[in-house]
Amino acid sequence: MYVAVKGGEKAIRSAHRLMAEKRRGNTEVPEVEIEQIREQLSLAVDRVMAEGSLYDRDLAALAVKQARGDLVEAVFLLRAYRTTLPRFGNSQPMDTAAMHVRRRISAAYKDVPGGQVLGPTFDYTHRLLDTDLAMPTTPATFSDNEERICAETEHGEEEIISVCPKVLFFLEKEGLLPPEEGVDIFPGDLTRQPLELPADRDIRLQNLARADEGMLLALAYSTQRGFGATHPFVGEIRMGETEVFFVPEELGFPVVVGEITLTECESVNHFVGNKRHPASFTRGYGLVFGENERKAISMALVDRALRADEYDEETRGPAQNVEFVLYHSDNVEASGFVQHLKLPHYVDFQAELALVRSLRGKTAGKESE
Amino acid sequence: MLETEAAKLPDSFSYIFLRRPEPGLVMLEGRAGNTGQRFNLGEMLITRCVVRLESQESNIVSEGYGFAQGNRPRHAELAAMFDALLQQKNWEEPLERSLIGPLIAGRKEQLRKRAEETADTKVDFFTMVRGEDK
């Protein structure tokens, strides 16, 4: 039982003032601006939007600044802020096939229609600290890049298309992969109703999309190491911009209200089949706000692992346990409950102390008898 | 762009807010595998605004709706105002020419530029022939 405490207002005020000073750091160094965080720490902003479950680059950048770069704290700030806003409604389901892709790769097929484009990626970098970045660069450094100029001449006048077909569609066409079909029902919403088990895939996917990235990564890794193996291939990863269509009640027709960056991962897994059903692959799905491939892949792996029941698979790993995954994946909840331990528990502890003392007293008494 | 075009307009019309610019959320939906079960991915911040506009020349009244991504009250207001104007016969054609046309062209150019940058990173992987494959 937790018993509330009073007092300490002055100390708390001073602590908050001190925190604000620490956030500012050395005042001889210029203060970081929201625009700088939004533009130059964009992957931190993306992570905060995904786990905060609110797409707004400016607010997420502000949260990162306010939280002194503590991303889980920033996620909390966004979650708290969203509760102050009205909801206008649901968008139409976003169509990732119509995405203007900036990155699209397949680890299953070498030659995919539309081609493989690397886009902005850390892959194939040497992970050596770049000391040049220690000095500010001028934009001219990029435009003078020789390679860029070569590539431009190569494309010539040929039209460049940024919308390309989904890789898994080709497997579906051959009948080797069941297409994703779902009844067209209004999805459940974790922000409106508490999590209940058994949870359908709509709830599971919402939970995973806002789940802590570290938690998902660890769970995905655990399936690869044998705790519920699903033999995954990355069928396709695509990242780019997708338009958001919303039907305002008063208008009754869809209006584009914005454009957001998404990362999507579709995995091709472990095949199933028996005498009645010819062998076919299975699939997992990951969709995340912003540029975040690590999380999209992890989500696809965990989504597939959570479908163990559907395929009558033996559940041998935590990643296959719906209750374990869904109840422990939210870092706002987890952080709140773990960190509440540091708040005063004086009465609680006194009770335990008295109990242990009395037990010892009894033992000591018995011994002396 | 909206602000510049708005500044060029004559003052032969006026509008009132039916709904002041207000920020709010839209829950964004996805689909498993893009074709399967719908699910809620997360919310997005937008600003909406509704105006009623009256033209002094033609006495026509029209309602305009504006939506802007993020918390952008002025953007939503201007979008609503232009939407109302575009529904008025005498405004439709000139605005299509001075505003909508250039906006669409700008969007196309933005997409083309983005696609071009991306196309530079197109890759052709080839598999190495291993000794035992001969």
Side-chain angles (χ1 to χ4, degrees):
Chain A
M1 186 184 59
Y2 181 77
V3 179
V5 289
K6 277 175 78 171
E9 287 90 347
K10 205 174 141 253
I12 291 171
R13 260 202 312 277
S14 303
H16 288 170
R17 200 184 47 237
L18 186 59
M19 204 270 301
E21 271 171 34
K22 289 289 162 199
R23 169 167 52 223
R24 178 60 185 85
N26 183 348
T27 49
E28 279 166 30
V29 177
E31 183 171 343
V32 69
E33 286 172 35
I34 301 302
E35 290 75 19
Q36 292 172 326
I37 297 173
R38 193 188 60 211
E39 298 301 317
Q40 296 170 41
L41 297 179
S42 57
L43 299 185
V45 168
D46 284 351
R47 181 171 175 189
V48 171
M49 292 196 302
E51 291 167 37
S53 205
L54 175 61
Y55 197 101
D56 192 85
R57 309 202 73 87
D58 293 320
L59 288 179
L62 174 62
V64 170
K65 179 175 176 174
Q66 187 178 333
R68 300 171 65 188
D70 178 339
L71 300 189
V72 176
E73 180 72 18
V75 165
F76 195 169
L77 292 172
L78 266 202
R79 290 269 187 98
Y81 182 76
R82 68 159 285 284
T83 62
T84 66
L85 295 165
R87 188 188 286 178
F88 297 155
N90 272 40
S91 78
Q92 292 190 330
M94 280 173 297
D95 183 9
T96 54
M99 180 189 282
H100 297 283
V101 298
R102 284 192 290 131
R103 174 166 167 80
R104 188 247 202 169
I105 51 166
S106 173
Y109 287 109
K110 190 162 63 69
D111 304 303
V112 283
Q116 307 218 19
V117 281
L118 297 179
T121 179
F122 289 128
D123 295 353
Y124 314 108
T125 60
H126 297 292
R127 266 76 182 204
L128 297 173
L129 266 183
D130 182 359
T131 46
D132 289 348
L133 281 176
M135 295 298 288
T137 48
T138 52
T141 324
F142 300 108
S143 55
D144 288 347
N145 190 320
E146 270 175 50
E147 281 177 56
R148 177 74 187 83
I149 292 159
C150 292
E152 244 174 331
T153 28
E154 215 176 286
H155 300 310
E157 294 297 301
E158 143 200 16
E159 201 191 345
I160 300 160
I161 304 159
S162 59
V163 178
C164 45
K166 309 272 287 182
V167 175
L168 265 54
F169 171 70
F170 301 103
L171 276 175
E172 283 175 19
K173 235 174 35 183
E174 246 189 284
L176 299 177
L177 183 75
E180 286 274 19
E181 285 164 344
V183 266
D184 203 16
I185 45 165
F186 204 70
D189 186 356
L190 286 170
T191 69
R192 295 277 168 98
Q193 72 227 27
L195 176 59
E196 273 172 26
L197 296 176
D200 284 336
R201 194 144 174 239
D202 53 344
I203 291 292
R204 302 202 304 252
L205 288 171
Q206 183 182 13
N207 179 287
L208 297 179
R210 41 193 265 147
D212 181 77
E213 182 183 320
M215 164 85 175
L216 275 194
L217 176 65
L219 284 171
Y221 184 39
S222 74
T223 67
Q224 289 181 291
R225 292 196 63 262
F227 291 87
T230 60
H231 303 283
F233 287 94
V234 167
E236 181 179 10
I237 289 174
R238 52 170 64 197
M239 181 277 289
E241 279 65 42
T242 305
E243 288 177 345
V244 176
F245 289 87
F246 172 61
V247 182
E249 247 175 63
E250 320 90 287
L251 291 178
F253 57 84
V255 178
V256 174
V257 293
E259 181 186 59
I260 66 165
T261 304
L262 290 172
T263 306
E264 181 190 53
C265 173
E266 295 205 78
S267 66
V268 179
N269 302 65
H270 204 55
F271 57 86
V272 288
N274 51 37
K275 277 182 192 151
R276 275 180 299 139
H277 302 284
S280 69
F281 291 107
T282 57
R283 56 202 294 171
Y285 189 64
L287 185 65
V288 186
F289 278 167
E291 247 175 88
N292 194 343
E293 206 158 275
R294 189 190 299 122
K295 182 166 176 183
I297 300 172
S298 302
M299 179 170 166
L301 263 57
V302 176
D303 170 49
R304 174 58 189 83
L306 289 176
R307 301 177 78 182
D309 266 358
E310 219 175 295
Y311 297 111
D312 289 323
E313 290 163 343
E314 197 189 340
T315 51
R316 282 175 310 173
Q320 295 168 305
N321 184 324
V322 179
E323 181 177 0
F324 182 82
V325 174
L326 300 193
Y327 274 105
H328 302 116
S329 59
D330 192 285
N331 62 24
V332 175
E333 276 172 28
S335 167
F337 200 56
V338 169
Q339 292 207 69
H340 102 283
L341 288 176
K342 68 194 174 186
L343 299 176
H345 279 70
Y346 307 132
V347 178
D348 239 359
F349 189 66
Q350 285 303 317
E352 295 269 317
L353 205 57
L355 182 64
V356 173
R357 277 190 182 132
S358 79
L359 285 172
R360 284 178 71 108
K362 274 181 199 158
T363 337
K366 269 186 195 155
E367 272 168 14
S368 63
E369 268 169 23
Chain B
M1 172 91 188
L2 290 184
E3 205 71 79
T4 338
E5 288 304 308
K8 291 183 197 160
L9 298 173
D11 48 7
S12 60
F13 65 88
S14 59
Y15 63 88
I16 53 159
F17 287 121
L18 292 183
R19 189 176 253 152
R20 298 197 148 272
E22 61 165 339
L25 304 169
V26 171
M27 177 53 97
L28 306 178
E29 286 190 21
R31 279 177 182 278
N34 199 43
T35 50
Q37 186 152 6
R38 288 160 59 185
F39 68 97
N40 291 312
L41 178 66
E43 289 160 317
M44 170 180 141
L45 184 65
I46 65 167
T47 311
R48 71 175 173 190
C49 176
V50 186
V51 300
R52 174 182 287 141
L53 184 140
E54 192 178 347
S55 163
Q56 271 95 54
E57 290 165 14
S58 57
N59 286 327
I60 304 173
V61 176
S62 55
E63 279 177 20
Y65 292 78
F67 298 90
Q69 186 167 1
N71 188 4
R72 295 193 170 68
R74 182 64 182 158
H75 188 166
E77 178 185 340
L78 289 174
M81 183 196 77
F82 278 114
D83 178 44
L85 276 177
L86 278 158
Q87 293 171 60
Q88 305 221 353
K89 280 248 150 52
N90 50 332
W91 282 105
E92 194 183 340
E93 215 202 286
L95 280 180
E96 285 281 351
R97 223 176 320 112
S98 67
L99 183 71
I100 304 298
L103 281 178
I104 291 174
R107 169 69 177 164
K108 275 196 181 143
E109 175 60 16
Q110 180 198 27
L111 288 178
R112 193 193 59 78
K113 239 173 132 179
R114 223 192 261 160
E116 206 175 78
E117 274 171 14
T118 305
D120 290 350
T121 68
K122 197 160 180 168
V123 67
D124 284 313
F125 286 115
F126 53 92
T127 39
M128 307 287 271
V129 178
R130 292 192 296 186
E132 68 265 32
D133 287 346
K134 273 178 196 164

